Amino acid sequence: MPPATSFTRRRFLSSTGLLVLIASVPGARAAEHSGTLPWKPFAALPPDPLPGGRWYVLTPDEARTVEAIVDRLIPADELSIGGREAGCASFIDRQLAGSYGSSERLYMQGPFTAGLPTQGYQGAETPTGRYRDGLAALNKHTRATLGGKAFFELAAAEQDQVLKDFEAGKVDYKPAAGFFNLVLQNTMEGFFADPIYGGNKDMAGWKFIGFPGARYDYRDYITAHNKPFPLPPLSIAGRPEWKTGDK
Amino acid sequence: MARKLPRKDVVIVGLGWTGSILAHELTDAGLDVVAIERGPWRDTATDFNVAYAPDELRYAVRKDLFLQPAQEAMTMRNSTAQTALPMRDYGSFLPGTGVGGAGTHWNGHTWRFFPSDFALKTHLTGRYGEERLSGLQIQDWGVSYDELESAFDRFEYLCGISGKAGNLNGTIQQGGNPFEGPRKREYPLPPMQMTYAPTLFAEAARSRGLHPFPTPSANLSGAYVNPLGIAMGQCTACGFCERFGCANYSKASAHTTILPVLMRKSNFEARTECEVLKIKLAADGKTASGVTYTDVNGATFEQPADLVLLNAYSLFNVRLMLLSGIGKPYDPSSGEGVVGRNYCYQTNASAQVFFEGRSMNPFIAAGALGQTVDDYNGDSFDHGALNFVGGAGINCIPTNGRPIQYRPVPPGTPRWGSAWKKATKQYYNNTLAFSSQGSSYATRGNYLDLDPTYKDRFGRPLLRVTFDFPDNDIRMSNWVSDRMKEIADAFGGKQVVVGRQQKGWSSVPYQSTHNTGGAIMGTDPKTSAVNRHLQSWDVPNVFVVGACAFPQNAGKNPTGPVGALAYWAADSIRNHYLKNPGKLVEA
C-alpha cells in the first residue's frame, strides 16, 4: 500500500515558510550509502528569504488589521520600535505562506474531537484558516460594538480593550482566546526571530533585550562574569553595515 | 508486493546513537550490516552549517530536525478513563529523525545512573521494606552497575565527556559527585569553564552544605581525539545545543564520533528515507526473518537478515514490537503482558531568582554547561521519615538565551504591551534559573499500546501513551521543590519563584524527551520484554536497544545509560550470541 504522502529531504527543508512552492519531488528516492562518507560540500540549504514589498497570504484589509494588532502587542516606545515597524505582520504573512501556514508537517488526520487541555489543539483548521476566520471575527466584533469601525480604525486604547477581551474570551467568538494566543505567539516570533524571516528589523528585538544573535563563539567571555557583553548583535545575514552596493 | 533483497547478517532499524554503536561493533566482528533509517542523511558539514545553524525559528520553534507528526504521531491520555487523542504537534517531548536520531539535538548531559538504580527493587525493599513500594511497579534491571562500568567508560571515551570524577575505584574525589558509583578512571576531558549563573549556584548550594559539581558534558571542554581516531573541537558556548545540530564538531553525536569510521566500511550500508513497516517473523513465530520497509516513493522491500536490532527511539521500538507481534502486549487491567509495560517519564520542576543590576548573559551557554547537586537524587539521602521513594538532581544549566522562547519575567507580568516590554527588558539579563529533574517510577496504569482509532499514513495504528505523574513522584518532586526554595533564597535575589509539579501530564508544553520503558529488561519473562542482554524473550534473534529497556527512570538524563546498554548488548552479541545463536538466558 503506498504512503499517503512522502517526506523528502527537500520538503523537510521547505518547512520554515520560506521555500513556498516546492511540491513533492518526483525524482526523489531513498539513498543508499556504503563504503563512503556521503558528504557534499555546500550541499545544505540555508533559509531562502521571500522578497518583501508584497503580501503573500493576507489580503490588504487583513494585513492592515494584523499590522494594527502587532503594534498594540509590541507598542513603539523609548525601549524599541513597535511591532508594525519591526515587520511582525510581514513575518506572519510569510510564515502563513509556507508549510507552517498549512500545517503540512502536523498530524491532520481525523476524527477531530474536542479534547482536554492536556491534549493540545485538536482543531482541523490550519494557522492560515485560523487567521482568516479570526481577523474577520475581530472586525465583525468591532463594527458591531464600536460604531461600525474596523479594528484598525480604532484608537489605541480601544484596540487594547478589544484585544484584552479576545485574550480573555469575553466576546461572541468561541475561538477568541485561541486565536489571540496564536497571533501573540507569531508576533513574538516575528519580533525576536532572525531578520531573514522578515521581522526583527535591523535586529531591533535583539537590541531591545541585549541578545547578540547568531554569534558563534563566546569563549573569550565565558568567565567574564557579571560583565555586560560588549559586541553588537549579528544576524545570519550579517549586519546591515556590512552590506555594500545597492544603497 | 515487496521486493525481496539479498540476505544480510544484521539489519538495524534506526541509525541514531545505538544503531551506530551496534553497527560499528558488529561490522568490526566481520558481519555484513545494513541500517534502515526513515529520516534523511545528515552530517555536520552538510546540515549543521556554521553560517546558519544558529536559527531559533527554524530549528527550535518550527522544529526542523525533529520527527514530524505527519510522518508519525502518537496519541495520549492521562488514564484509561479518557479517550486518547493525537498529539497533532509534538510538544511535551520531541523525538528525533534522520541519521544521528535524537542524539543529534540533545544537550549532552551524560550520566551514569547510581548503582542502586540498577537494583532498585532489591535496594529499596532492603532499606525501607516492601510496604514503601506499594502503588509502584519497581523492578531490578537484571544487570548491575559493576557489570556496566566498562560500557559506561567506553561511551564516555567515545564522546570525550568533560567532567570531574567523584568516585575513583571507591575513593571519593574532591570536586566531583560524591554520590556516584565507582569509576575506574577519570573523565576523558576536564570540566567545562563555568559561566556566571552556575558559579553562583555552586556557591549558594555549598553555603547550604550541599555538594555541587560540574555536570558531565558531551559539549567538549577542549580538543579531543576519540578511540576511533576521530577529532573533535572545543565547545564555543554558542547557546544553540538542544534542538540544534552542532556546527562546530564539539557536541558528541553519532556524526562526530562514529559515522566517519562506520561509513567507510565496505560491510556496512545505510539506507536513508526508508521506513521499516514491521519485523517479519518466520512461520513458527519464534524467529525473525528480517524486516519489510518502504522507501520514499512507496516501493516496498523485504530485507532478510539473521539478526534484527531495534535501535529506533524508545517509543518507536515499542510500537514496532506491538505492530510485529513480538512479545505479549501489556494489559493494565490484569497486569499481564510485557510490551508496553512500565512506561515512565521524568518529574521536573523549576526555580527562578530575579535580580537587579546583573549581567547574567544567558546567551553564553552550552547544553550541559552547568552545575549539579545530587544530594537529593535517587537514594543518596535517607527516605526513612519521608513518604516517597526516588529523588531529583538539581541542575543549574542555563542552556541558552534564545529570545523567542527565553524571556523570563516574574509571575503576574502582562503578556504584551508596554508593561510587558518593561519587564522583559529588565529581567532578560537579570534572571537565574535552575531546575529539578526527578525520577519517574512505574505504576500499573502508565503504559503504551496501539491506538484503536488513529492511524499513520500507512494505515498502521499509532502508539497510544497512557500516562500521568504517579502520586509518589509528585510527593518526591514537591519535597525537592522545597529544597530548591532553600537554595534559591540563599542567592539574596529580589524575588524567588519555585514551581511545583502537579498531576495532569500535558502533552503541550515542552518537558523532557526522556521517555523510558515499554520494552523493559529483566530476569523474568513475565515482567520484562527483553532479558538482561536486551534480547527478546520471545524472538531470540531480535535485540531491542534504547531507553525502552529501563524498568523505571532515574533523576538523570538517559543518554549515558543508553550508550552503555548499546555497548553491553554489542558485547553480548559478539561474545555469546554469535558463538551460539539462540536464547542467551533460559526463562
Side-chain angles (χ1 to χ4, degrees), chain A residues 131-148:
Chain A
Y131 267 87
R132 195 132 277 155
D133 195 46
L135 294 171
L138 183 72
N139 281 320
K140 189 178 165 202
H141 171 77
T142 59
R143 288 202 167 96
T145 60
L146 292 165

Side-chain angles (χ1 to χ4, degrees), chain B residues 204-235:
Chain B
R206 219 170 275 121
S207 77
R208 295 209 46 84
L210 303 172
H211 301 82
F213 59 92
T215 310
S217 157
N219 325 121
L220 273 62
S221 63
Y224 181 68
V225 178
N226 82 4
L228 302 182
I230 300 172
M232 300 171 68
Q234 183 184 16
C235 171

Side-chain angles (χ1 to χ4, degrees), chain B residues 324-341:
Chain B
S324 308
I326 298 176
K328 186 180 173 188
Y330 174 72
D331 176 356
S333 61
S334 66
E336 291 176 0
V338 291
V339 182
R341 179 186 169 94

Side-chain angles (χ1 to χ4, degrees), chain A residues 40-107:
Chain A
K40 291 180 190 139
F42 312 113
L45 300 173
D48 186 9
L50 288 181
R54 56 163 288 196
W55 299 105
Y56 288 88
V57 169
L58 300 174
T59 65
D61 266 10
E62 287 172 339
R64 285 179 78 179
T65 307
V66 173
E67 290 201 311
I69 295 172
V70 301
D71 227 28
R72 296 319 305 154
L73 299 181
I74 304 176
D77 59 17
E78 71 283 1
L79 296 176
S80 78
I81 58 174
R84 176 184 176 144
E85 192 186 343
C88 291
S90 174
F91 167 88
I92 289 170
D93 180 59
R94 297 185 209 189
Q95 287 295 304
L96 295 179
S99 61
Y100 173 76
S102 59
S103 296
E104 182 187 309
R105 304 209 290 182
L106 305 188
Y107 183 81

Side-chain angles (χ1 to χ4, degrees), chain B residues 399-410:
Chain B
T399 60
N400 74 89
R402 303 185 302 261
I404 297 175
Q405 298 189 306
Y406 179 83
R407 281 178 276 112
V409 288

Side-chain angles (χ1 to χ4, degrees), chain B residues 146-443:
Chain B
D146 287 344
E147 286 176 301
L148 287 177
E149 203 282 335
S150 66
F152 276 117
D153 179 89
R154 284 171 77 186
F155 185 64
E156 288 161 359
Y157 272 74
L158 179 82
C159 294
I161 301 303
S162 310
K164 176 76 189 85
N167 181 340
L168 278 179
N169 297 300
T171 306
I172 301 301
Q173 306 293 307
Q174 195 69 33
N177 181 4
F179 304 103
E180 73 174 353
R183 54 177 68 240
K184 292 255 170 29
R185 54 176 174 167
E186 254 295 357
Y187 284 99
L189 287 175
M192 303 178 84
Q193 289 187 310
M194 286 296 136
T195 50
Y196 186 34
T199 304
L200 289 176
F201 173 81
E203 286 168 11
R206 219 170 275 121
S207 77
R208 295 209 46 84
L210 303 172
H211 301 82
F213 59 92
T215 310
S217 157
N219 325 121
L220 273 62
S221 63
Y224 181 68
V225 178
N226 82 4
L228 302 182
I230 300 172
M232 300 171 68
Q234 183 184 16
C235 171
T236 58
C238 75
F240 289 84
C241 265
E242 88 278 21
R243 306 188 176 209
F244 300 83
C246 180
N248 205 48
Y249 298 89
S250 55
K251 178 173 77 176
S253 69
H255 318 95
T256 55
T257 59
I258 307 173
L259 289 167
V261 167
L262 177 63
M263 293 308 300
R264 288 193 169 92
K265 294 179 174 179
S266 58
N267 57 339
F268 177 73
E269 184 184 341
R271 292 186 201 141
T272 54
E273 306 203 57
C274 291
E275 182 158 350
V276 171
L277 298 173
K278 72 190 297 187
I279 296 109
K280 207 168 151 53
L281 297 183
D284 63 359
K286 291 173 183 159
T287 318
S289 60
V291 302
T292 55
Y293 70 90
T294 179
D295 74 6
V296 75
N297 285 332
T300 57
F301 301 88
E302 182 186 337
Q303 176 60 63
D306 294 336
L307 200 51
V308 176
L309 308 182
L310 292 187
N311 293 102
Y313 192 73
S314 61
L315 293 159
F316 305 124
N317 279 344
V318 177
R319 179 170 180 245
L320 272 173
M321 291 178 81
L322 291 167
L323 290 171
S324 308
I326 298 176
K328 186 180 173 188
Y330 174 72
D331 176 356
S333 61
S334 66
E336 291 176 0
V338 291
V339 182
R341 179 186 169 94
N342 280 29
Y343 171 70
C344 293
Y345 193 39
Q346 201 89 71
T347 319
N348 302 341
S350 65
Q352 290 174 305
V353 183
F354 296 97
F355 292 102
E356 275 184 348
R358 303 285 182 113
S359 292
M360 304 306 299
N361 296 338
F363 40 83
I364 303 176
L369 199 178
Q371 293 270 336
T372 294
V373 162
D374 257 356
D375 297 60
Y376 307 123
N377 206 351
D379 199 41
S380 59
F381 58 106
D382 185 5
H383 292 67
L386 303 171
N387 60 354
F388 62 85
V389 288
I394 301 179
N395 303 292
C396 181
I397 307 171
T399 60
N400 74 89
R402 303 185 302 261
I404 297 175
Q405 298 189 306
Y406 179 83
R407 281 178 276 112
V409 288
T413 304
R415 298 195 297 160
W416 51 280
S418 293
W420 165 80
K421 286 187 76 174
K422 193 158 171 276
T424 301
K425 170 87 180 163
Q426 184 172 350
Y427 289 108
Y428 176 75
N429 213 3
N430 270 300
T431 304
L432 181 153
F434 60 100
S435 59
S436 63
Q437 176 168 244
S439 50
S440 180
Y441 286 168
T443 63

Side-chain angles (χ1 to χ4, degrees), chain B residues 21 31 37 143 173 186 207 353 363 384 388 407 412 417 426 460 465-466 469 506 562:
Chain B
I21 289 171
L31 299 179
E37 165 57 50
V143 64
Q173 306 293 307
E186 254 295 357
S207 77
V353 183
F363 40 83
F388 62 85
R407 281 178 276 112
Q426 184 172 350
R460 302 178 299 172
V465 180
T466 303
F469 298 108
S506 167
V562 166

